[in-house]
Amino acid sequence: MKRSIQFSAPGRAEISGNHTDHQHGCVLAAAVNLETVAEVIVLDDPIIIIHSEGYAPVEINLNDLDVHPEEMNTTKALVRGVATAFRQRGTELKGFLAKVRSTVLPGSGLSSSAAFEVLIGTICNELFFDSRLSSVEIAQIGQYAENVYFGKPCGLMDQTASSVGGMVFIDFENPAKPVVEKLDFDFEKAGHALCIIDSGADHADLTDEYAAIPGELKEVCRFFGKEVLRDIPEADFFAALPQLRHQVPDRAILRAIHFYQENKRVQRQAQALRDGDFDTFLRLVSESGRSSWMYLQNITPAGAIEHQDVAVALALCDTLLQGRGSYRVHGGGFAGTVQAFVPMDMLDAFKSGIERVLGEDKCHVLSIRPQGGIRVE
């Protein structure tokens, strides 16, 4: 009987940089202590079989790596996409059976999809490609699978944070070669806990809302003949506003303003953490949250009245923190999660206050995981 090999990839928390990555901006992100793990056995047949705990088995044939439109938004699409990217790099892939379990719950806002993509990428890199690819290259493969096969126009932040590990500052100005800097900062030593609050809303059916953000920003970029906002000087953008408002929706303009402000804010936050200036960092977290609500407008799906789950979660944070700590929308928005930095002396009351309204186990107290995607020896 063949020996099984264990692999692990972490979920991630977006520390700052809300929807900046797909415009080649800067982000702060961290791998967290929730993970997706796999027990892997190499097979003789050219098939990849995934048995994920709680889900139907997934199987793909390595002799058929074409895009299947009917597989969009499925796990099968992600596996096929990752396999394709390795095959394109000259990898002699073999089939394998992976028994997968995860504490990164789908819809948790901690990027279960990126953890899964990094997990499959790490398996292929370790077993079939002599570990030639860097953690950033594995992240790029995950993004390719999600963009081309899964059908979601995501940036590269989620996969990079999961693959690299620790807390990282990432500059995506050149996404083919992003600049990745590890930051050594301990939130607990600064007297605060990192909490992720599950608003209770599922973001599975919100792909169109997410896609509208880069789609509208692309309209702005088209006006200037550019691909992304990072290539358009902020001064040129504001100088062109009188003409631009006749060409694109106002929401696109507000979302562009968010990008320019957020991109500078992330760089200031990274410097604050390097300097050990946690008060400045917290103030900028609050500014980021206000910008996401006012300008980016990714708190509530368009037209939603009865269910405004993220907005309610943010209001609870505001009420419970009483002007201390900080909070903001976390990740893609519209549903999913909120992030809060909570003073340790308030943590128990904060957690119980959140869960009294949103339900048990809705407030996750996390720590940063140093490792990214790894083979577990």
Side-chain angles (χ1 to χ4, degrees):
M1 186 174 178
K2 293 184 178 180
R3 182 175 65 92
S4 66
I5 306 166
Q6 186 168 317
F7 294 85
S8 168
R12 72 93 185 94
E14 173 197 283
I15 304 301
S16 192
N18 201 211
H19 283 276
T20 52
D21 57 338
H22 50 70
Q23 297 303 306
H24 297 185
C26 301
V27 301
L28 276 171
V32 297
N33 60 325
L34 298 175
E35 62 179 350
T36 300
V37 299
E39 295 282 346
V40 177
I41 297 174
V42 177
L43 302 176
D44 296 325
D45 297 321
I47 56 174
I48 295 176
I49 305 170
I50 309 292
H51 287 284
S52 292
E53 200 172 72
Y55 296 89
V58 167
E59 181 176 322
I60 71 158
N61 192 314
L62 291 173
N63 294 322
D64 176 16
L65 295 181
D66 293 334
V67 174
H68 289 238
E70 73 278 5
E71 290 179 359
M72 292 285 185
N73 295 297
T74 68
T75 300
K76 186 177 284 190
L78 294 177
V79 178
R80 204 183 297 274
V82 171
T84 299
F86 273 92
R87 182 69 59 80
Q88 290 169 346
R89 286 162 173 77
T91 312
E92 292 187 19
L93 284 178
K94 296 182 180 179
F96 61 87
L97 166 65
K99 294 183 178 179
V100 177
R101 53 187 171 80
S102 183
T103 53
V104 189
L105 299 176
S108 67
L110 299 169
S111 216
S112 59
S113 59
F116 180 78
E117 293 153 19
V118 168
L119 181 73
I120 300 301
T122 302
I123 291 169
C124 293
N125 191 42
E126 289 277 340
L127 296 184
F128 311 123
F129 210 43
D130 298 325
S131 303
R132 292 183 213 171
L133 298 186
S134 69
S135 55
V136 172
E137 289 171 310
I138 291 173
Q140 290 168 329
I141 284 175
Q143 183 197 27
Y144 167 82
E146 195 153 345
N147 289 173
V148 178
Y149 280 73
F150 189 82
K152 183 177 179 180
C154 68
L156 189 56
M157 177 188 68
D158 296 353
Q159 293 85 354
T160 304
S162 176
S163 189
V164 173
M167 182 161 62
V168 289
F169 168 76
I170 314 168
D171 187 338
F172 289 114
E173 185 169 19
N174 179 2
K177 294 182 178 179
V179 176
V180 180
E181 175 193 355
K182 281 208 171 190
L183 297 175
D184 183 19
F185 190 89
D186 190 331
F187 293 126
E188 287 190 33
K189 287 183 180 177
H192 286 68
L194 169 61
C195 295
I196 299 295
I197 297 107
D198 183 353
S199 70
D202 185 1
H203 64 223
D205 297 324
L206 292 169
T207 297
D208 289 346
E209 291 277 8
Y210 300 129
I213 295 176
E216 290 178 11
L217 295 179
K218 191 169 285 294
E219 292 183 53
V220 175
C221 294
R222 197 175 296 121
F223 177 89
F224 293 93
K226 302 291 185 180
E227 287 296 316
V228 293
L229 285 174
R230 187 70 180 269
D231 294 336
I232 304 167
E234 185 178 3
D236 292 356
F237 166 80
F238 278 103
L241 271 186
Q243 297 77 36
L244 190 60
R245 288 197 67 199
H246 296 291
Q247 301 290 324
V248 304
D250 279 349
R251 188 172 71 171
I253 289 170
L254 291 168
R255 285 173 162 173
I257 290 171
H258 165 81
F259 168 79
Y260 286 115
Q261 293 187 357
E262 186 82 342
N263 198 49
K264 290 184 290 187
R265 189 160 34 239
V266 171
Q267 296 173 65
R268 290 160 61 200
Q269 285 178 286
Q271 190 58 50
L273 292 177
R274 295 185 197 105
D275 295 340
D277 185 358
F278 196 59
D279 288 340
T280 294
F281 170 81
L282 287 179
R283 177 174 56 78
L284 293 170
V285 169
S286 297
E287 287 184 14
S288 173
R290 285 194 295 272
S291 181
S292 290
W293 204 330
M294 291 170 59
Y295 301 143
L296 185 60
Q297 299 179 43
N298 68 332
I299 304 304
T300 303
I305 296 173
E306 184 177 355
H307 296 290
Q308 298 192 11
D309 305 87
V310 173
V312 170
L314 289 167
L316 285 172
C317 290
D318 185 45
T319 302
L320 292 166
L321 286 173
Q322 303 172 38
R324 298 180 63 194
S326 197
Y327 62 92
R328 61 190 279 277
V329 67
H330 176 258
F334 301 110
T337 56
V338 165
Q339 174 194 89
F341 293 93
V342 182
M344 288 297 189
D345 63 304
M346 302 180 78
L347 182 58
D348 290 343
F350 179 85
K351 190 174 190 301
S352 62
I354 291 289
E355 294 184 345
R356 184 180 68 83
V357 178
L358 300 184
E360 191 176 354
D361 294 327
K362 293 296 186 182
C363 180
H364 306 280
V365 182
L366 302 179
S367 60
I368 294 174
R369 163 172 150 159
Q371 307 88 7
I374 56 170
R375 177 174 176 167
V376 181
E377 299 297 341

